[in-house]
Each structure stands twice: as structure tokens, then as C-alpha cells.
Amino acid sequence: MATGGVNLSKEFFELLKAIGESKSKQEEDRIISKEVQCLKKKLEPTPQGHKNPLQSKKKAKEYLVRLLYVEMLGHDASFGYIKAVEMAASASLYHKRTGYLVCGACLSPDHEFRFMLVNQMQRDMQSANVLEICGGLLAATSLITPDMAPAIVGEVTKLITHDSETVRKKAIITLHRLFQLAPDVVTFDDLYEKVRKILCDRDPSVMGCCLNVIEDLCIRDPVKFKELIPSLVSILKQIAEHRLPTEFDYHKVPAPWMQIRLVRILSMVGQGDATASSGMYEILNETMKQADVGINAGYAIVYECVKCITKIYPNAKLLDAAGEAIARFIDSRSHNLKYLGVTGLAMIVETHPQYAAQHQMSVMDCLEDRDETLQRKTLDLLYRMTNPVNVEFITDKLLLFLSGTTDVFLKKQLTTRVCSVAERYAPSNSWYIKTITQLFEVSGDHKIS
Amino acid sequence: FNFFVLMSRQGKIRLSEFFQSYTESEKRRITKDIAADILPRAPKMCNIIEKGPYKFVYRRYASLYFVVGVPLGMNELIVLEQIHLFVEALDGYFNSVCELDLVFSLHKSLLILFEMFIGGMLCESNKREVLKAIVEAEEMVE
């Protein structure tokens, strides 16, 4: 297994050391300018026949990496871009990949050099070598622009049915990228058809990859995917019951990434639709139970299920289960779980306020916590829990935070919220006037949208 | 994902990748926000910071902060696990990775990142496959 650091020249090492030890931005800038000068000289076209071609390729690769470094630290190294393009055309796979990498990282979307790479990518995608094809596909995802799309869409589409599953995986993602950039070249329906077939791909990891695409498409048009509910439910069932090969297990949880994507897709498709949702209740219950193994990946799945349950057509048993899971999250000692618990409760409470009452104490604790993220999230929850009984208490808290924060985004949000609850639930006119006056005092210069 | 940034405790950027198109000034603002909001956080606190239209989800490994910018609807806990998956892959490649490894082999870390996350989405969750692809490519250098 190759380890880093072995192939580096002393120069590079010195450079990195110097940047690491630099004590100020100016010093860092100075070091980098010197490096830029040095790179400029080295990357000038070399005179014919002076260097051993192999030697200069290795050096050239190192110079490109240094270029990448320079750009990452915010400086311009555009003189070197042409070298990166040349490298992408190299026969050696590793150099080719590095060339593509630097191009992808440094060339802006309207840079003319991107066009030079189209032919190269096409050739790579037609190669017999799987790694070269993958290189071309990966490069395509970061380098393609809408006008380049028609040139490679044919090749990419062919690769979706390639023998190698690595190629198939990357091909579907690349196709999705093309769709995002150029929906006239790759239409929604095109992509939908392809994705349906891949859902039944013989390799589960290819199927898992295409779930990413389905999720994105589902956001744009959930109705179309309702016919896929039975397949999705059956896939989720298989995964949750540990019927995938063990290599898909992440710390004993089977394919958590896929489970979560599936649950999210189901939540989008089941929203507001009783028939669609009824097909999901059983599997959601089962998934939640199976995922409860005490580690983060499992909790993530439970949380996603809770979110789903609050979005789709309501089912009392599931809501109870969700409420229970939330209770455990809020009472846990981990701040992350508390955060998720509060967020989840906020979602349930909107449509089912009865669940809020039993958690009042824990919620209050969260509000007093030093962790600002948690406080803000709890404020959000309180806002959603407002009713005529607790409006005065909650408004007080909202105003308290409003006066204590300097974050513009939060100020605007709180201002709008105080206004809206005051209007809706004001117990008396005098209270309303008092509250609005306080509001003006605290945030008078903010427009209320 | 919207972006992925690795920052050291002193605020130096070790790796940064923006999966959507951001302008230079937006990128700089994000970097500044990360340094201002995340570096001073206490260890027990939430690993999530809400920042208007996106969220920071971060995890600290030794002296390095792995920060991911995600859209609001995303499941934060699974993002934390995805970060961990990436770290496990780096660990497998560098044999017990440390910050210096990432500094000296930026391009290799980026190659691993792109092999796992294409267009900002997790595509290859199998560590073995990721490392196999990278190592095979390296062995093809003449």
C-alpha cells in the first residue's frame, strides 16, 4: 500500500514546512509568491530533447500538486492550467487522474480550457480499461458545462449498461449531473426510465448509488415515483432484515446510507397521500425497530423514520412510536441526540400538539443549556408549541433571546415570529401593545416581512 | 453536500472542496465563518451549527476539524457517519493517518474524496472498493 510522503522532493517538503510554520498571513503570502515564481519558471515549455521524458513527467506531476496547493490557499496559478490539461492527456493513468483533478479544482466553469478536455474525456470513456473509463466519468462530473453535455451524453448513456459495476455506478451519477446542467439534453423522463431499470440492478451497490439520483428526482416530481413504492418498500425490507451481504454492514448496521435514502424517498412520495402512505406503515415500524442498536448510524435511521412519519399521512401507532423515540433522544446525554430530539419534536408538534406536554421539563433544560445551537433549536420548538395558554411565557423567552443576539438572520426570524404569535394568541389588547412595544425597542431597525 | 473543508486547530485549511459553484468571496466568507464559529466550540457541544440556508456539520479528529456544509433538510447524524467513513478510508490508505499525511498528499486525499463522494453524494460506501481503485491506479504508473 503506497504511503504519502515517499515520492516528494525536498523542495516541496520545504515549502510545506515553511507554510506550516508561517506566523502571519503576510508571511504565508510571501512564501507562496516565491513558490509561484518558481513554478512559473519550471512550467515553461522545456527546450527539445533536454530532459528524460519520464523524469519530467514525475516532476510535472509534483508541480501540479504544488499548483493545487497554491490555489487552495487562495492564490492564482492560472499559468499552470495548460500543463494540467496536457497531463490529463497522458497515457499513464495516475498522471491522467492528477491532471483531471487539478483541472476540476482550478478551472472555473467558463474557462475555455474545459473544452479541450471534452475529446479527452470521450476517449477515456471508450477505453477498454475500467479505470480509465472511471477517470473520464469522474472528470466529467466536475468539468462538464451545459454546452459540453451533448458531446458526451451518448458515451455516458452507453456506460450505464457496462459490465463493471464501478463503471455503472459512476455512469448513473454522471448522467444525473448532465441532467442537472442540461435538462434538455437529458430529460427527466429519460433519467426516470434509466433509474427504474437500475433499481433492479444485480449489484446492490449500484442500486444504492441510483437511490441518490432518485432522491433528487423525487424532490422535483414525487407523483411519478408513487408507482415505485412497492419496489422501494421491498428493498428496504430486505436491507433492514440483514439480507444483504455483510460487506454492506457499517458497524453492524446494514447499509445505513441506503436505508436513510429509501426512507427519505418514501416520505416525499407519501406526503398527503393516504393510500400511498398506508403501504409504508409496516416497513417504517420495522425499520425503526431494527435500527435501534445504540450507535449513531442506527439513531440516524430512527431519526429519519421519525421525520418520515411526521410528513406522510398520519398513523396513530407510528406517531406514538415516534414520540417515544424522540423522548429518548431528548433525555439522552449526547448533545447531538438532544438536538435531533428537539428538531423531531418540533415536527410532530405542528400537527399533533398533544405530544408536547409530556416533554416540557426536558425542553426547558435544553433552553438553558450553554450550547447555542441547542438553544436556538429549542426556541424554534417553543415557537411551534405556542398556544393561548403558554403564549406569554414563550413570547418572553423569544424576546429575551432577541435582545441577547447579534446574529442578523436570527434577529429577523425571531422578530417575525414574535409578531405572528402575538397577533394570533394575544390574551388581551394591553398585552399585545406591551409586547409589540418591547419588540420595537429591541429590533426597531429590522423590517418585518 | 455543498462543501467539504478540513481545517486545523490554528485555522489553516488543509483541504477544501466546493461541490456547488460558489464565488471566491462566498468561499472566503464560508472559511471565515468556519474559523469563527467552529474552532472555539467546546467538545461536548452539538456538532451542528445552523447558518441560514445551510448547516455546518463537523467532527474533530485530533488537531483537525472535518467540516461539511449541508442543506437544511439533511440528516445530520448520518453526515457525521459519512465523515467518519471518509476518515476510515484515509486511515486505511495512509496506515493510521495523521494531519501531516493529508498535508503532504493533498491530491491523494482528494482522489479518495472523489472516489467516495461524487457530485457531493456518497456513492461508494465500501472502503475496500475505494482503496482498491486508488491503489490500482497508482500501480499503473510506469
Side-chain angles (χ1 to χ4, degrees):
Chain A
M1 197 79 98
T3 49
V6 173
N7 298 320
L8 287 181
S9 72
K10 190 159 179 304
E11 263 179 36
F12 192 15
F13 185 81
E14 295 291 318
L15 169 70
L16 289 174
K17 203 158 97 105
I19 296 185
E21 292 172 355
S22 67
K23 305 236 178 14
S24 69
K25 189 85 181 39
Q26 289 102 312
E27 198 184 326
E28 188 182 290
D29 284 345
R30 246 186 318 118
I31 297 176
I32 303 217
S33 310
K34 225 173 45 170
E35 172 69 11
V36 164
Q37 294 304 330
C38 169
L39 285 177
K40 269 204 184 127
K41 251 197 302 194
K42 296 273 173 61
L43 289 176
E44 261 162 28
T46 49
Q48 288 282 23
H50 271 227
K51 285 212 170 89
N52 173 3
L54 198 62
Q55 163 77 338
S56 68
K57 225 196 282 190
K58 190 164 166 224
K59 274 281 167 191
K61 187 196 95 187
E62 181 183 305
Y63 294 137
L64 277 190
V65 175
R66 282 152 78 166
L67 210 103
L68 188 63
Y69 213 98
V70 162
E71 282 261 344
M72 186 181 77
L73 290 172
H75 297 252
D76 175 81
S78 39
F79 54 88
Y81 292 171
I82 187 71
K83 225 17 193 220
V85 174
E86 278 171 26
M87 266 228 130
S90 145
S92 146
L93 182 67
Y94 192 55
H95 293 123
K96 184 197 287 290
R97 281 256 179 127
T98 314
Y100 274 141
L101 184 68
V102 177
C103 287
C106 302
L107 293 180
S108 70
D110 43 6
H111 202 288
E112 54 198 356
F113 283 0
R114 289 199 173 208
F115 277 97
M116 295 194 203
L117 293 166
V118 175
N119 273 335
Q120 190 52 50
M121 286 190 263
Q122 273 176 320
R123 260 187 306 224
D124 285 334
M125 288 194 234
Q126 289 162 351
S127 152
N129 178 320
V130 165
L131 289 175
E132 274 186 16
I133 303 180
C134 288
L137 283 171
L138 278 180
T141 49
S142 45
L143 288 166
I144 285 288
T145 58
D147 17 356
M148 287 155 76
I152 61 164
V153 66
E155 284 310 318
V156 177
T157 318
K158 265 196 272 174
L159 291 172
I160 293 196
T161 43
H162 195 275
D163 282 334
S164 151
E165 66 267 4
T166 342
V167 172
R168 292 204 297 276
K169 270 188 269 199
K170 299 194 168 66
I172 186 67
I173 300 288
T174 314
L175 199 63
H176 174 239
R177 188 98 177 100
L178 290 178
F179 162 72
Q180 281 177 321
L181 289 169
D184 45 333
V185 175
V186 179
T187 66
F188 185 94
D189 290 321
D190 281 343
L191 201 50
Y192 180 73
E193 280 313 311
K194 301 270 175 338
V195 148
R196 275 189 72 162
K197 289 213 205 79
I198 299 194
L199 209 50
C200 321
D201 191 291
R202 59 183 183 272
D203 184 315
S205 63
V206 179
M207 184 269 299
C209 219
C210 114
L211 287 178
N212 269 317
V213 179
I214 295 186
E215 203 188 312
D216 183 66
L217 292 183
C218 215
I219 299 180
R220 300 161 196 256
D221 185 2
V223 178
K224 195 96 194 251
F225 288 89
K226 294 206 200 239
E227 53 189 10
L228 290 181
I229 295 185
S231 329
L232 296 171
V233 168
S234 127
I235 297 177
L236 184 53
K237 197 163 149 73
Q238 285 177 43
I239 301 181
E241 290 176 353
H242 294 261
R243 283 195 271 155
L244 280 183
T246 41
E247 62 182 36
F248 285 95
D249 282 357
Y250 175 78
H251 298 283
K252 296 289 172 42
V253 178
W257 338 99
M258 289 196 226
Q259 289 196 50
I260 291 191
R261 278 178 219 142
L262 283 163
V263 172
R264 234 205 310 255
I265 296 172
L266 288 176
S267 80
M268 283 191 270
V269 181
Q271 211 163 356
D273 181 336
T275 3
S277 304
S278 58
M280 307 176 197
Y281 294 150
E282 194 196 313
I283 187 60
L284 282 175
N285 210 358
E286 202 189 318
T287 311
M288 252 174 65
K289 272 213 294 260
Q290 295 271 11
D292 209 345
V293 287
I295 63 167
N296 268 348
Y299 293 141
I301 300 178
V302 173
Y303 176 58
E304 197 63 46
C305 288
V306 167
K307 280 208 285 190
C308 180
I309 293 172
T310 57
K311 282 224 195 101
I312 62 178
Y313 203 79
N315 168 292
K317 200 171 89 165
L318 281 183
L319 283 169
D320 283 338
E324 228 181 295
I326 299 262
R328 268 180 305 138
F329 279 177
I330 294 192
D331 291 331
S332 123
R333 285 201 307 181
S334 149
H335 272 85
N336 287 329
L337 288 182
K338 280 195 204 274
Y339 175 87
L340 292 185
V342 170
T343 318
L345 192 56
M347 284 189 261
I348 294 191
V349 148
E350 293 239 34
T351 39
H352 303 87
Q354 63 269 34
Y355 288 94
Q358 39 182 161
H359 302 295
Q360 303 243 65
M361 282 309 337
S362 329
V363 171
M364 283 302 114
D365 283 338
C366 289
L367 197 58
E368 311 294 312
D369 198 294
R370 278 182 317 145
D371 184 337
E372 205 194 309
T373 310
L374 199 53
Q375 283 178 328
R376 286 202 195 184
K377 213 61 208 188
T378 317
L379 269 188
D380 182 79
L381 171 61
L382 285 181
Y383 164 67
R384 287 170 211 277
M385 275 168 62
T386 321
N387 56 44
V389 174
N390 57 27
V391 63
E392 293 177 55
F393 173 73
I394 292 191
T395 320
D396 275 344
K397 285 282 185 233
L398 291 176
L399 282 171
L400 185 65
F401 269 92
L402 185 52
S403 51
T405 183
T406 48
D407 179 326
V408 173
F409 186 80
L410 186 61
K411 272 184 120 97
K412 235 181 13 183
Q413 195 191 54
L414 286 179
T415 312
T416 325
R417 290 184 165 183
V418 171
C419 265
S420 102
V421 296
E423 260 184 62
R424 270 190 287 161
Y425 302 112
S428 67
N429 277 333
S430 61
W431 179 89
Y432 181 70
I433 295 182
K434 193 171 88 167
T435 309
I436 297 294
T437 320
Q438 263 182 295
L439 187 62
F440 275 128
E441 277 171 23
V442 175
S443 75
D445 50 349
H446 284 271
K447 289 207 186 48
I448 296 162
S449 48
Chain B
F1 292 176
N2 293 347
F3 54 83
F4 192 89
V5 173
L6 300 190
M7 191 181 274
S8 78
R9 283 209 73 192
Q10 294 84 25
K12 291 210 187 323
I13 300 186
R14 296 303 184 199
L15 186 152
S16 83
E17 180 56 39
F18 291 85
F19 292 104
Q20 318 272 353
S21 2
Y22 287 94
T23 65
E24 281 309 315
S25 67
E26 282 173 342
K27 291 187 195 180
R28 272 196 295 266
R29 231 255 326 251
I30 288 176
T31 323
K32 224 169 35 138
D33 283 345
I34 293 180
D37 293 336
I38 297 187
L39 296 186
R41 278 184 67 95
K44 284 265 177 60
M45 294 192 165
C46 259
N47 296 99
I48 306 157
I49 299 186
E50 299 193 358
K51 211 75 189 160
Y54 54 81
K55 288 191 270 214
F56 289 140
V57 179
Y58 70 93
R59 204 154 173 178
R60 185 176 145 197
Y61 290 87
S63 58
L64 210 50
Y65 286 90
F66 285 66
V67 183
V68 182
V70 298
L72 290 181
M74 202 146 186
N75 183 325
E76 300 87 348
L77 216 50
I78 205 65
V79 173
L80 281 175
E81 294 308 303
Q82 288 177 347
I83 297 180
H84 191 70
L85 195 67
F86 179 57
V87 172
E88 280 184 357
L90 288 175
D91 216 30
Y93 180 78
F94 289 107
N95 280 329
S96 221
V97 66
C98 65
E99 188 178 338
L100 240 39
D101 288 323
L102 299 180
V103 171
F104 287 125
S105 306
L106 171 66
H107 54 302
K108 302 212 177 125
S109 327
L110 278 177
L111 283 176
I112 297 180
L113 181 68
F114 285 130
E115 193 67 34
M116 284 181 98
F117 298 92
I118 310 182
M121 304 185 274
L122 177 66
C123 291
E124 183 56 77
S125 55
N126 188 329
K127 249 187 329 185
R128 259 184 317 127
E129 286 297 322
V130 173
L131 297 183
K132 193 171 85 160
I134 305 277
V135 170
E136 264 178 35
E138 287 181 352
E139 283 168 1
M140 289 184 68
V141 178
E142 299 119 319

